[in-house]
């Protein structure tokens, strides 16, 4: 029987360099969304049997070093891989307790790859939190593309944002993200800059004004900007840096795969370039 709790924030721990950041981002989101945190660890693929080194990935007050009996040079069997995962989940739980996180925390130890684990939690979770560097064979972009759940990607260290940039392009995916932002409590206390990159014509101005009005009506403190620039990624990165904005929010892979191959995907470029937490809403989000 599954122990997955509905409407959870899922912390994906398969990123050794980002475990602490993923936990802190998950606790931050959990507090704002009043949701339990599911600590998710997937056993590495048996085709990739070399150990993943999680030693020192968390700073906690514990006499035992995490996974000190494992090394990155030895090959692990199935039982040892499972034991490694259980130790990681135990220490992650301890870390959340020491941070005095008040909402329920529980563990999900999946014996499958990370993409299958994300598919398992996809329809029940409120938010999935993942580190910028994952250990599985799938790329971060591939994991996000097949998801149906909002995903928060974080670098280390995680810095709780007070402002957010919502990149709005009047596409169906950005309207889905707008609807989600108006309903979620995640950004309720943040100042949201809604930014459109495009020509300063009546269509864009009207769409931006209406989206801005919806955020304001939802009780979200907002600012708006229309940037006339051909390079979407450069414009968003520049605006975010100039205004010291701590969270980027966009739809994910809203364009066709063919257009992405020909012109390059803005989502993929932003995943590579942004250094702040990045919230993405997949285009298949219902």
């Amino acid at each position: 029987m599954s122990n997955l709790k509905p409407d959870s924030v899922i912390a994906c721990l398969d990123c050794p360099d980002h475990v602490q950041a993923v936990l802190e981002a998950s606790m931050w989101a959990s507090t704002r969304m009043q949701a339990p945190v599911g600590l998710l660890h997937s056993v590495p693929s048996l085709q990739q049997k070399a150990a993943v080194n999680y030693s020192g990935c968390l700073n906690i007050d514990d006499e035992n070093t995490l996974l000190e009996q494992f090394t990155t040079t030895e090959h692990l069997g199935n039982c040892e891989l499972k034991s490694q995962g259980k130790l990681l989940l135990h220490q992650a739980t301890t870390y959340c307790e020491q941070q005095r996180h008040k909402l329920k925390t529980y563990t999900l130890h999946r014996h499958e790859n990370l993409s299958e684990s994300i598919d398992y939690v996809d329809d029940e979770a409120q938010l999935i939190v993942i580190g910028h560097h994952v250990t599985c064979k799938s790329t971060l972009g591939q994991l996000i593309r097949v998801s149906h759940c909002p995903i928060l990607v974080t670098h280390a260290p995680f810095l709780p944002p007070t402002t957010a940039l919502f990149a709005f392009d009047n596409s169906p995916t950005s309207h889905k993200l707008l609807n989600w932002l108006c309903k979620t409590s995640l950004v309720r206390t943040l100042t949201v800059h809604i930014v459109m990159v495009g020509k300063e014509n009546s269509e864009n101005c009207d769409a931006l004004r209406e989206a801005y009005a919806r955020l304001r009506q939802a009780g979200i403190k907002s600012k708006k900007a229309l940037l006339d620039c051909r390079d979407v990624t450069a414009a968003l990165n520049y605006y975010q840096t100039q205004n010291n904005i701590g969270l980027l929010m966009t739809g994910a892979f809203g364009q066709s795969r063919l257009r992405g191959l020909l012109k390059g995907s803005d989502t993929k470029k932003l995943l590579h370039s942004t250094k702040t937490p990045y919230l993405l809403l997949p285009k298949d989000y219902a």
Side-chain angles (χ1 to χ4, degrees):
M1 184 175 179
S2 170
N3 64 332
L4 174 62
K5 294 175 173 46
D7 299 323
S8 296
V9 172
I10 302 297
C12 297
L13 304 183
D14 296 70
C15 314
D17 296 336
H18 295 81
V19 170
Q20 187 166 334
V22 166
L23 290 175
E24 289 172 352
S26 299
M27 288 186 284
W28 172 80
S30 164
T31 300
R32 279 146 187 79
M33 303 174 87
Q34 289 297 291
V37 176
L39 304 173
L40 172 64
H41 176 63
S42 304
V43 173
S45 169
L46 294 181
Q47 283 74 34
Q48 184 186 357
K49 288 189 178 180
V52 177
N53 183 15
Y54 287 96
S55 300
C57 66
L58 285 173
N59 297 319
I60 71 168
D61 300 325
D62 194 328
E63 293 179 358
N64 298 318
T65 302
L66 175 65
L67 310 176
E68 61 185 359
Q69 65 267 52
F70 297 110
T71 70
T72 56
T73 56
E74 294 177 344
H75 292 283
L76 305 182
N78 287 345
C79 291
E80 291 169 308
L81 286 171
K82 291 176 183 178
S83 297
Q84 183 192 47
K86 288 179 180 178
L87 281 168
L88 174 64
L89 289 170
H90 171 73
Q91 189 154 4
T93 301
T94 301
Y95 182 81
C96 292
E97 291 172 352
Q98 291 184 353
Q99 299 303 306
R100 294 185 172 86
H101 182 59
K102 295 180 180 179
L103 296 173
K104 184 174 179 62
T105 301
Y106 65 97
T107 60
L108 294 165
H109 196 192
R110 302 292 298 173
H111 306 303
E112 57 195 2
N113 62 45
L114 182 57
S115 60
E116 291 171 330
S117 295
I118 288 179
D119 182 62
Y120 168 73
V121 302
D122 215 32
D123 293 329
E124 295 289 336
Q126 280 198 73
L127 182 71
I128 295 172
V129 182
I130 193 166
H132 194 261
H133 297 121
V134 291
T135 60
C136 63
K137 292 182 178 179
S138 300
T139 66
L140 189 55
Q142 289 171 332
L143 293 174
I144 294 168
R145 191 184 285 276
V146 298
S147 178
H148 299 86
C149 180
I151 294 179
L152 179 63
V153 179
T154 183
H155 288 267
F158 171 76
L159 300 176
T162 57
T163 54
L165 189 163
F166 168 27
F168 178 77
D169 62 2
N170 204 26
S171 66
T173 306
S174 67
H175 278 281
K176 287 182 181 180
L177 179 53
L178 175 62
N179 293 336
W180 187 81
L181 292 174
C182 289
K183 292 185 295 184
T184 184
S185 56
L186 182 67
V187 299
R188 191 69 59 191
T189 61
L190 307 185
T191 298
V192 174
H193 294 240
I194 179 168
V195 179
M196 176 180 263
V197 181
K199 293 292 184 181
E200 193 169 340
N201 54 37
S202 58
E203 181 183 357
N204 285 340
C205 289
D206 289 346
L208 180 61
R209 184 170 54 250
E210 289 174 11
Y212 168 76
R214 285 203 56 202
L215 289 175
R216 299 280 293 188
Q217 289 167 3
I220 300 171
K221 185 178 179 182
S222 307
K223 298 180 179 180
K224 60 183 171 69
L226 179 58
L227 310 178
D228 191 345
C229 181
R230 290 188 177 183
D231 191 327
V232 175
T233 302
L236 293 175
N237 284 336
Y238 179 79
Y239 185 93
Q240 185 176 8
T241 301
Q242 289 298 109
N243 291 276
N244 195 28
I245 296 175
L247 172 66
L248 176 64
M249 306 184 297
T250 75
F253 300 106
Q255 62 195 20
S256 69
R257 287 180 180 266
L258 177 60
R259 184 177 182 276
L261 287 171
L262 294 175
K263 295 188 176 182
S265 164
D266 291 328
T267 303
K268 187 175 181 180
K269 291 176 184 176
L270 287 167
L271 277 171
H272 283 293
S273 63
T274 186
K275 302 302 179 185
T276 66
Y278 182 8
L279 176 71
L280 303 104
L281 189 89
K283 67 176 182 178
D284 291 331
Y285 174 77

